[in-house]
Amino acid sequence: MAPAPDTGVPVIELRGLARTYPGPPPVEALCPTDLVISAGDYVAVTGPSGSGKSTLLHLLGLLDGPTSGTYLLDGLDTSTLPDRDRSTLRGRRIGFVFQSFHLLAYRTAEENVLLAQLYNHTPRAQRRQSAAEALERVGLGHRLDALPTTLSGGERQRVAIARALVNRPSLLLCDEPTGNLDSANADTVMELLADLHGEGFTIVIITHDTTVAARAGRTVTIKDGILSETSEEPPARVMTGAGHAA
């Protein structure tokens, strides 16, 4: 499986992106934020509970819209898209990996991956082959017909990663991908993500686990809705709120 071609345009570009939930009192869950994530980046977003990680995840994943600011995904302005167009873009450009796997219990591993292609309008004749190739890529080519209830936690997460990969997305967005796994399976999943990053996939991991975050090339921290970055990246890469700069 190969990622979407690199066009030279950032995969993610946030320009003053913010999200405020109405009150009373209003809650500024994400302060105005600028952030650039280029093709092939591997970024961990960390922070304590209630810091704004989930809000950022929902915005990056096009599951929610901002109160203000601009979100460019592959150079496309998503900020004012209607829900239908947002859903279409999400299905084509973003692959999700969740802590709880979100697999259909009575569908085989192959069927769970195959169903992700319905949103991408993949021709019927190609779906089964693409699903099998994605499962082969994550080391489960021999478990195509297995139901999730017969798989280990690590295998279920690898099925979820195969589902995320099958449409060759621009972005792999992972939410606590090892949160429900023991240490051995967590290591296997993190090694797989590292391999995918090596192949050119752009990966963003939302996590509170410092061990998981340490695997990424960049770490962005969010606290009280404010993003900051400590890395060797230029300071202009992340700026949050008035007077806040990484």
Side-chain angles (χ1 to χ4, degrees), residues 4 20 22 30 58 84 90 94 124-125 147 150 177 207 210:
T20 299
L30 182 68
H58 288 160
R84 181 173 180 176
R90 181 171 61 242
I94 302 174
R124 182 184 297 271
L147 294 174
T150 69
T207 184
T210 56

Side-chain angles (χ1 to χ4, degrees), residues 191-225:
E191 288 294 336
L192 175 57
L193 291 175
D195 289 345
L196 293 171
H197 171 242
E199 294 170 16
F201 281 95
T202 305
I203 302 174
V204 174
I205 290 184
I206 311 293
T207 184
H208 70 277
D209 189 328
T210 56
T211 303
V212 170
R215 301 279 193 117
R218 293 171 59 191
T219 299
V220 174
T221 301
I222 185 167
K223 184 177 181 181
D224 298 329

Side-chain angles (χ1 to χ4, degrees), residues 160-241:
I161 293 172
R163 180 184 58 195
L165 292 177
V166 72
N167 291 328
R168 300 174 64 236
S170 303
L171 172 66
L172 285 178
L173 188 55
C174 307
D175 182 21
E176 301 285 4
T178 62
N180 283 342
L181 303 179
D182 59 33
S183 58
N185 278 311
D187 285 343
T188 297
V189 166
M190 292 309 300
E191 288 294 336
L192 175 57
L193 291 175
D195 289 345
L196 293 171
H197 171 242
E199 294 170 16
F201 281 95
T202 305
I203 302 174
V204 174
I205 290 184
I206 311 293
T207 184
H208 70 277
D209 189 328
T210 56
T211 303
V212 170
R215 301 279 193 117
R218 293 171 59 191
T219 299
V220 174
T221 301
I222 185 167
K223 184 177 181 181
D224 298 329
I226 298 174
L227 242 60
S228 60
E229 181 170 9
T230 302
S231 72
E232 296 179 357
E233 298 290 338
R237 299 282 292 216
V238 177
M239 297 175 59
T240 311

Side-chain angles (χ1 to χ4, degrees), residues 6-157:
D6 181 1
T7 63
V9 176
V11 173
I12 291 172
E13 185 173 358
L14 309 184
R15 300 174 181 172
L17 199 76
R19 184 69 169 97
T20 299
Y21 295 104
V27 176
E28 192 173 28
L30 182 68
C31 298
T33 297
D34 296 341
L35 175 67
V36 174
I37 296 177
S38 300
D41 278 356
Y42 188 176
V43 180
V45 179
T46 67
S49 297
S51 62
K53 296 195 303 297
S54 293
T55 296
L56 183 62
L57 171 73
H58 288 160
L59 292 171
L60 295 181
L62 300 179
L63 300 168
D64 195 4
T67 305
S68 61
T70 302
Y71 172 18
L72 302 178
L73 177 63
D74 289 337
L76 302 173
D77 187 353
T78 70
S79 309
T80 58
L81 287 178
D83 288 344
R84 181 173 180 176
D85 292 345
R86 190 194 306 271
S87 296
T88 298
L89 188 62
R90 181 171 61 242
R92 292 177 176 174
R93 306 279 180 132
I94 302 174
F96 290 93
V97 180
F98 294 104
Q99 176 177 342
S100 299
F101 320 131
H102 293 319
L103 301 177
L104 298 177
Y106 298 104
R107 296 281 189 168
T108 66
E110 184 180 47
E111 288 170 336
N112 268 280
V113 176
L114 187 152
L115 287 170
Q117 299 172 82
L118 298 178
Y119 301 102
N120 204 32
H121 305 295
T122 303
R124 182 184 297 271
Q126 296 180 18
R127 292 175 196 163
R128 194 167 297 277
Q129 178 180 349
S130 296
E133 289 174 354
L135 285 163
E136 182 70 34
R137 174 61 192 84
V138 301
L140 292 176
H142 62 299
R143 303 301 307 270
L144 301 183
D145 296 326
L147 294 174
T149 51
T150 69
L151 299 173
S152 70
E155 288 173 328
R156 279 180 278 172
Q157 192 60 292

